[in-house]
Amino acid sequence: MHQYKVFVTRQLPASLAPLEQIAEVEVWTEPQPPPHTLLMEQAIASDGLLCLLTDPIDSAMLSSATDLKVVSQMAVGYDNIDIETATHLGIPVGHTPGVLTNATADLTWALLMAAARRVVEGDRFTRSGQWNTWDPAGLLGLDLVGATLGIVGLGRIGTAVARRALGFDMHILYTSPNPKSPELEQELKARRVKLEELLAESDVVAVHTPLSPSTYHLFGDRQFQQMKSSAIFINTARGSIVDPAALHRALSTGAIAAAAIDVTDPEPIEVTNPLLTLKNLIITPHIGSASHATRKKMAQMAIANVIAGLKGERLPHCVNPDVYRQSVREER
Ligand code: NAP
């Protein structure tokens, strides 16, 4: 009988053996996320929670789970977790930054190139028997070499996306609350501008910010209207950064040329959603980090975070390090 109990909200692509050495581990083995009431019961009965972005970890749950010593999320984004409450209660929250940066940047580029050269449209065109001849004006797209790439949020993934753009001699503009170092700007040949300028100047706009109150619906009608009508919009960050009705209007009225998104609001997107009728939109089902090696590293990192949290050690990758400065922690 172990001292600790941990609930893991899905089967993971990594061994749980290191965790099982110190804790009794229960894994939710269904393909769908655990229902909220069950998750609540498990959180209350557990010392550690290893969760995914599909699990809402809200204030009521955290407040009721008086034995909970750590929440460890297998993702870099943590907008499904009430961080303020967790911090207030002295519960460290772990995440998995860095290990998924390249995989997500690669997927961003896969979408970018597919949209620029109309790969998905071309595939549908071919399969539906419309390919009758070589057409000098058929399925024309955008040349990326020499084009301007606007990166909204030049963090880990935004930077990796910009590095890949150097191979295409693209001009890089970016927005970020904090300026990046002159060395990084020089390496990327990147210039920090206001969002309005980025939208007006860019041939491709790629979003790489976290979802937060300041980025919720950052993209609405006004932002799409500020973009070039030939522009391509890419979102591999979080769906709610974009107003989906505004995206639909922008694509259907020709305010922008095309979009490619890996994330939607809500997720999963309903098959009846009008966005899915648009030819100039590519959608993938939130697979930014979905490579074999990356998902394994993410799971290992999440396991390491939960183990550290149970032992009362500092999490290797902690979202809310303020917990280590709070007296409330000692009071628990
Ligand atoms: P990160 O290193 O923290 O980078 C985020 C960047 O966004 C930071 O540079 C930050 O600027 C900037 N930012 C914050 N608020 C902004 C705003 N209002 N306007 C412009 N920029 C803003 O995070 P990351 O590792 O690159 O990950 C970014 C996000 O990608 C995650 O939060 C997650 O939601 C998403 N993601 C999705 C997938 C997927 O499967 N599709 C996979 C991984 C990650 P400062 O540096 O100035 O603070």
Side-chain angles (χ1 to χ4, degrees), residues 1 10 29 37 47 52 65 80 86-87 95 100 152 170 181 187 209 218 220 262 289 317 321:
M1 188 71 179
R10 216 73 65 82
T29 54
T37 44
D47 300 283
L52 309 185
N80 56 310
T87 309
H95 70 151
L100 41 57
V152 181
M170 292 182 87
S181 69
E187 180 208 327
T209 69
L218 180 64
D262 184 46
S289 63
H317 298 280

Side-chain angles (χ1 to χ4, degrees), residues 100-110 156-162 164 208 236 288:
L100 41 57
T101 297
N102 282 324
T104 310
D106 287 349
L107 194 269
T108 303
W109 266 89
R156 287 174 289 254
I157 296 169
T159 300
V161 168
R164 284 153 176 74
H208 299 291
T236 59

Side-chain angles (χ1 to χ4, degrees), residues 76-79 97-98 100-101 104 107 152-158 175-180 208-212 214-215 218 236-238 262-263 286-289 295:
V76 63
Y78 44 81
D79 45 274
L100 41 57
T101 297
T104 310
L107 194 269
V152 181
L154 195 72
R156 287 174 289 254
I157 296 169
T175 65
S176 260
N178 303 297
K180 301 301 153 189
H208 299 291
T209 69
L211 172 62
S212 70
S214 78
T215 61
L218 180 64
T236 59
R238 283 290 182 269
D262 184 46
V263 285
H286 204 145
I287 54 168
S289 63
R295 286 283 167 85

Side-chain angles (χ1 to χ4, degrees), residues 271-285:
V271 75
T272 52
N273 190 303
L275 279 170
L276 298 185
T277 64
L278 298 171
K279 272 193 187 163
N280 53 350
L281 176 68
I282 298 171
I283 305 195
T284 48

